[in-house]
Structure formats: C-alpha cells, structure tokens
Amino acid sequence: MNCKEALDVVAEALDETLEESARREFLEHMDRCSACRTYVEQIRLSVQALKRLPKSGRPNPRRAEIIEAYRKKFR
Amino acid sequence: MKRMEGNPVLPDVPGPEGALLVKLRAGDEAAFTALVDGLNCRLQALAATFTSSPALAEDIVQETWLGVIRGLDGFEGRSSLRTWIFSILIRRARTLASREARRAGVAPANGAAPDREEWDLGRGRVGLWEAAPEPWTLDTPEQVVQGLEALEIVRAALDGLPEAQRQVVLLRDVEDVSPSEICNILDLTETNMRVLLHRGRARIRRALDLYLREGTRPSTAETPVQETR
C-alpha cells in the first residue's frame, strides 16, 4: 500500500472495518510512513473531537405545539 | 392513557426500542415528551445544514415532529428510531429548502461542488498537504479533544463545511450513524459518502492544525481571517 491507497481507506481503518489483508497492508504502511502516521492520528483526534461536541442548543420555542399534536392523535 | 397497547396490526419492533415504540404508539405522553426533549437539539443541528435561515430550520424541525407523530404506526424498525426520525427530517428539509429557494429565486445550495484543493478518492493526498503534516505537540493526544477552545474550533469548522460534507460528518461523527444508513437517508452512493466524509474530516483536521500549531482561529468561512487586535 502506498500513501494514496492508505489514505483512501482511513475511514474504514478507523472504523476497524478493513478486511484482514487490507488491514495488514494499512498497518505496514503506517509503520514505515511517518507523514501518514501523523495525518491519520490527527484525523482520529479530529473525529474524537467531533464525537465530543456538546449536543445542546436552545430549547424548541414551539415544543408545546408538538406535544399538543401528539396528544390530539390519541384524543 | 394507553389505548392501543399491543395492537397486533402494527409492525412489531423487537428490543428496547420496541418497548419505547409500544409506548409511543399507545399515546404515552411522557415517553413522547422525553423523545422530543432528547432529540430536538440534534434535529435543529441537522436542519441547520439545509438552510441558512433559522426560521426555516425551525419549520423543518416542526414538520419533522409532525411527520414522526403521523408515521409512528408505520415505522417498521428497519433502522433505529433516531435514524428514522433523521430520515424524515432530511426529506422534509429537502422539500422545504428547495421550495424556499425557488421562492427566493436562487438555486438551492449545492454542497457537493468539487474542491480541487482537497481530498479526491483515487488521487489520495494530491493537494492535501504541501509539506508532510507536522505532529501536534501535546502532552497527551487526548488534550486536543478535551480543551473547550479546541472544541469551539471544531464546531466552527463543522459549521463552515459545504452542505453535503457537513451533513455526512454530522451524521457519521457527531451522531454516530452507520455509513450504510447515511447512504440510505441522504441518498448517496457509498463512494460519494466516503469522499464527502474524507473531505469534511480533512477540513476539520486542517482547522485544528492551524489552531494548534499557529494559534489561528479560522472563521466559519473558507479562508482563515487575520486576528483583529
């Protein structure tokens, strides 16, 4: 696997969904290419940061409308 | 107020979601309210990827919940309840956003526009970096994701992604929806989905890289802006 091929499967490698032979080739490439190693590690950290983003926001101003619509369905 | 519990005509859904669904279909208001409160912010975030108008995003979320109420009886559990709700949102968002765009006389935003600067499947890292990427100097790598400021950078970079990239990254990384489900609900081929995910993540990485190595805080726009003193 060269850099291009390795970087094409980063998502699958991070998901651990690569097939065994591809996984081995990917890891071998990571062993000998420090640029890809750095890049993939930074992608991994970026993904982790995304996972940690707070999932909050302002409350729905029309929440009562939704609950009322639900109630109506069963009335 | 349970009236239709165990209605044999409705599609049966196994597991804990099945139990929740039985409640929702039976008119259990507490269960429905908890669902709304748990998911509403996330629907807002997803709706915001389809439009720059907060009012329209609010309408999209509202119509989504009404669609959920109407569709509860027909939900077959082929995906998780949450993914099903996301898919309702995406359908409503596309309809509403294109109607809005027609009214305003502009073409709907096209987030899939090619971007030569970035990742191309089959072209690998062409243009991805000019010099080899430099390691981030951190005591522990996890520092990156623990700092509130870094998370703000990531949030801003996510909000600044082109529409289609933002949708894929939001669903995959923030919401942890599986790749195949994302293809389904966004109606993307697997290849397209992978390209969008790669490109989106590459931009998030670049924003973090600028911030961690140069202290630059990129704006939500494409090009980093100079800090004003």
Side-chain angles (χ1 to χ4, degrees):
Chain A
M1 222 178 240
N2 57 27
C3 294
K4 183 175 82 61
E5 291 161 339
L7 294 182
D8 278 351
V9 297
V10 171
E12 290 75 9
L14 292 178
D15 283 348
E16 299 182 358
T17 55
L18 281 182
E19 285 179 14
E20 183 51 34
S21 62
R23 194 183 76 94
R24 217 168 29 234
E25 284 183 47
F26 178 83
L27 291 177
E28 276 166 20
H29 181 80
M30 290 299 122
D31 267 348
R32 55 173 195 269
C33 178
S34 72
C36 283
R37 206 160 52 234
T38 300
Y39 184 79
V40 171
E41 170 65 1
Q42 291 174 353
I43 290 286
R44 187 185 71 81
L45 289 169
S46 304
V47 171
Q48 272 199 28
L50 284 162
K51 286 189 196 303
R52 289 211 188 193
L53 285 183
K55 293 185 179 71
S56 55
R58 64 190 178 90
N60 186 331
R62 285 150 73 188
R63 178 177 178 274
E65 249 175 67
I66 303 168
I67 310 294
E68 182 51 35
Y70 181 72
R71 208 175 277 151
K72 229 184 216 162
K73 180 182 165 100
F74 297 94
R75 206 170 274 153
Chain B
M1 37 185 262
K2 297 180 181 179
R3 279 190 230 165
M4 313 198 313
E5 198 158 33
N7 187 330
V9 181
L10 302 180
D12 207 21
V13 176
E17 285 229 322
L20 172 61
L21 201 61
V22 168
K23 287 184 183 173
L24 293 173
R25 284 172 175 163
D28 186 328
E29 205 175 303
F32 182 74
T33 306
L35 182 72
V36 171
D37 290 342
L39 221 47
N40 198 76
C41 290
R42 295 150 79 171
L43 297 189
Q44 279 170 359
L46 186 57
T49 67
F50 288 89
T51 172
S52 56
S53 152
L56 185 60
E58 198 180 294
D59 286 347
I60 290 170
V61 172
Q62 208 68 10
E63 288 217 11
T64 300
W65 284 119
L66 298 180
V68 168
I69 293 168
R70 275 194 303 272
L72 272 175
D73 291 347
F75 173 62
E76 291 176 329
R78 290 206 203 111
S79 65
S80 70
L81 187 62
R82 194 184 52 139
T83 303
W84 174 68
I85 295 173
F86 287 164
S87 72
I88 293 175
L89 184 143
I90 288 162
R91 277 198 303 273
R92 297 310 301 146
R94 287 190 166 152
T95 311
L96 288 178
S98 65
R99 192 182 298 162
E100 181 77 7
R102 264 202 310 278
R103 216 169 36 160
V106 293
N110 178 9
D115 185 343
R116 240 168 259 116
E117 291 254 321
E118 284 179 84
W119 192 285
D120 253 331
L121 276 189
R123 287 176 66 215
R125 67 176 179 178
V126 171
L128 196 60
W129 59 67
E130 288 178 2
E134 298 206 16
W136 295 335
T137 47
L138 305 155
D139 294 337
T140 63
E142 267 56 31
Q143 272 181 343
V144 179
V145 297
Q146 279 159 359
L148 277 183
E149 206 178 40
L151 288 186
E152 275 175 41
I153 297 291
V154 170
R155 165 69 70 192
L158 176 64
D159 290 347
L161 290 180
E163 184 176 310
Q165 288 178 28
R166 185 171 162 200
Q167 286 158 6
V168 170
V169 172
L170 180 72
L171 289 170
R172 182 72 196 108
D173 292 336
V174 182
E175 292 293 351
D176 198 26
V177 177
S178 77
S180 61
E181 287 189 322
I182 293 173
C183 290
N184 262 334
I185 64 182
L186 284 177
D187 199 18
L188 291 170
T189 64
E190 204 211 318
T191 306
N192 261 339
M193 198 278 296
R194 289 175 60 206
V195 171
L196 292 166
L197 185 63
H198 276 307
R199 287 186 178 166
R201 284 177 173 176
R203 285 200 191 204
I204 306 281
R205 187 208 74 92
R206 196 162 59 188
L208 272 175
D209 191 54
L210 282 172
Y211 166 69
L212 290 167
R213 294 195 306 108
E214 292 165 33
T216 313
R217 295 168 132 279
S219 72
T220 54
E222 243 297 59
T223 44
V225 284
Q226 293 296 99
E227 294 269 335
T228 47
R229 275 164 290 250

